[in-house]
């Protein structure tokens, strides 16, 4: 069941969303060759602790409970990578997904970062991934049904010769990290059967995952890290977005973009 949020509840979600945005601002400042993903994860955990926020990812049940506050997925890793002592090197890309709960309400966002200079394929992949998310936000203000948005996202990815991951999707979000509805970034029979209306009070995490090559994937032996089957790179971009009477509102805005526009 889809739980629509009141204006007051969306206001409460802004606080969690803004802290997730601050976490990504911190991550942006730390991304560089020579730093380990574990170092970045510890810094985000410290930020959440200082702000009395509950990390959403740490301890998530699975064959092994997820051990960290961030998912750190490097190069061909799509999602759910586990931070480690391994250091980033020039030319890597890294997708960082994190979220928190404040006063009972959740925020969730992912972004893929370049580590120093990256090759042309990765540059284009980063651009297309980010623009796919931008397209979703724009079309949420124009379309009535989610499937209309998802179709445009998928077509945009296809136009650039990339593929959309189909085994992981976005989700509703509110008091819990994962709520109804499921939010695919592509269209298939199930998308159409479980379509939902874009109306005020809807709050969803939209998260296109775009692969340079095949959409096929596998899960590594750590039980969490999802990687591309062909070893080609992947990107992941996500915002928590609320539908309001004035249209879609990003609750996890990129603070670096806001500061540049002022």
């Amino acid at each position: 069941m889809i739980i629509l949020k009141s204006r007051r509840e969306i206001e409460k979600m802004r606080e969690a969303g803004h802290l997730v945005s601050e976490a990504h601002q911190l991550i942006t400042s730390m991304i560089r060759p020579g730093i380990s993903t574990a170092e970045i994860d510890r810094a985000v955990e410290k930020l959440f602790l200082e702000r009395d926020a509950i990390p959403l990812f740490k301890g998530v049940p699975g064959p092994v409970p997820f051990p960290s506050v961030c998912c750190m997925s490097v190069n061909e890793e799509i999602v759910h990578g586990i931070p480690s002592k391994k250091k980033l090197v020039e030319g890597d890309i890294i997708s960082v997904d994190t979220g928190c709960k404040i006063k009972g309400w959740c925020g969730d966002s992912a972004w893929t970062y370049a580590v120093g200079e990256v090759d042309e394929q990765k540059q284009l992949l980063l651009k297309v991934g980010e623009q796919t998310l931008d397209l979703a936000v724009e079309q949420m203000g124009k379309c009535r049904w989610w499937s209309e948005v998802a179709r445009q996202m998928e077509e945009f990815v296809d136009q650039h010769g990339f593929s959309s991951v189909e085994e992981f999707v976005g989700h509703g979000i509110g008091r819990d990290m994962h709520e109804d509805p499921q939010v695919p970034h592509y269209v298939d029979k199930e998308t159409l059967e479980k379509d939902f209306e874009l109306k005020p009070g809807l709050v969803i995490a939209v998260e296109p995952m775009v692969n340079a090559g095949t959409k096929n994937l596998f899960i590594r032996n750590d039980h969490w890290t999802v990687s591309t089957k062909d070893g080609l790179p992947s990107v992941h971009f996500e915002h928590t977005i609320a539908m309001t009477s004035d249209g879609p509102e990003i609750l996890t805005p990129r603070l670096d973009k806001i500061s540049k526009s002022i």
Side-chain angles (χ1 to χ4, degrees):
M1 181 180 69
I2 297 175
I3 303 171
L4 299 179
K5 279 71 177 178
S6 67
R7 284 186 295 178
R8 185 178 179 184
E9 289 172 331
I10 291 173
E11 181 64 35
K12 291 178 179 179
M13 291 190 71
R14 284 193 188 98
E15 185 176 357
H18 194 275
L19 183 55
V20 173
S21 296
E22 287 187 50
H24 276 284
Q25 189 174 43
L26 173 62
I27 292 160
T28 301
S29 72
M30 296 182 72
I31 295 285
R32 65 179 185 276
I35 195 168
S36 72
T37 52
E39 289 176 78
I40 299 170
D41 185 71
R42 285 194 296 270
V44 175
E45 185 167 23
K46 182 173 181 288
L47 174 66
F48 288 163
L49 181 64
E50 290 172 347
R51 302 288 283 276
D52 295 321
I54 300 170
L56 292 178
F57 296 179
K58 194 169 187 177
V60 168
V64 176
F66 195 78
S68 308
V69 302
C70 298
C71 296
M72 301 272 197
S73 307
V74 180
N75 294 328
E76 75 278 5
E77 296 169 356
I78 302 169
V79 287
H80 305 162
I82 297 174
S84 70
K85 295 180 180 178
K86 186 176 179 180
K87 297 183 185 300
L88 298 175
V89 300
E90 183 91 12
D92 282 343
I93 56 173
I94 176 169
S95 300
V96 186
D97 190 359
T98 194
C100 70
K101 178 181 284 190
I102 298 179
K103 300 172 186 175
W105 295 93
C106 300
D108 183 11
S109 179
W111 212 258
T112 304
Y113 301 88
V115 182
E117 296 294 324
V118 300
D119 63 34
E120 289 185 6
Q121 181 189 54
K122 287 179 178 176
Q123 287 178 33
L124 180 58
L125 190 62
L126 287 164
K127 183 178 179 180
V128 169
E130 184 175 352
Q131 288 181 344
T132 303
L133 182 56
D134 290 343
L135 175 65
V137 178
E138 176 189 345
Q139 293 304 314
M140 284 175 70
K142 299 178 180 179
C143 298
R144 181 179 177 187
W145 297 97
W146 175 255
S147 63
E148 299 173 72
V149 180
R151 188 177 303 280
Q152 292 186 64
M153 295 170 74
E154 183 178 31
E155 289 175 352
F156 182 75
V157 170
D158 289 346
Q159 287 167 9
H160 289 87
F162 298 141
S163 63
S164 299
V165 172
E166 296 183 2
E167 293 188 43
F168 295 90
V169 298
H171 50 89
I173 184 170
R175 288 194 175 275
D176 294 314
M177 175 168 59
H178 293 128
E179 297 183 353
D180 289 335
Q182 290 199 334
V183 185
H185 43 276
Y186 57 89
V187 175
D188 60 5
K189 183 179 178 182
E190 186 176 2
T191 305
L192 297 173
E193 289 174 349
K194 297 183 178 180
D195 207 359
F196 55 91
E197 192 172 0
L198 299 168
K199 53 187 176 182
L202 179 75
V203 184
I204 55 178
V206 178
E207 48 182 317
M209 288 155 262
V210 181
N211 293 351
T214 180
K215 65 183 179 182
N216 297 328
L217 51 81
F218 70 100
I219 299 176
R220 295 190 182 276
N221 292 335
D222 62 14
H223 305 291
W224 283 104
T225 306
V226 181
S227 294
T228 60
K229 194 77 171 178
D230 57 11
L232 293 178
S234 179
V235 296
H236 179 203
F237 291 88
E238 175 187 20
H239 274 315
T240 297
I241 304 166
M243 287 299 298
T244 74
S245 57
D246 296 321
E249 178 188 346
I250 298 173
L251 301 183
T252 52
R254 293 287 298 174
L255 299 181
D256 54 340
K257 290 190 174 184
I258 291 174
S259 63
K260 288 177 183 178
S261 65
I262 295 174

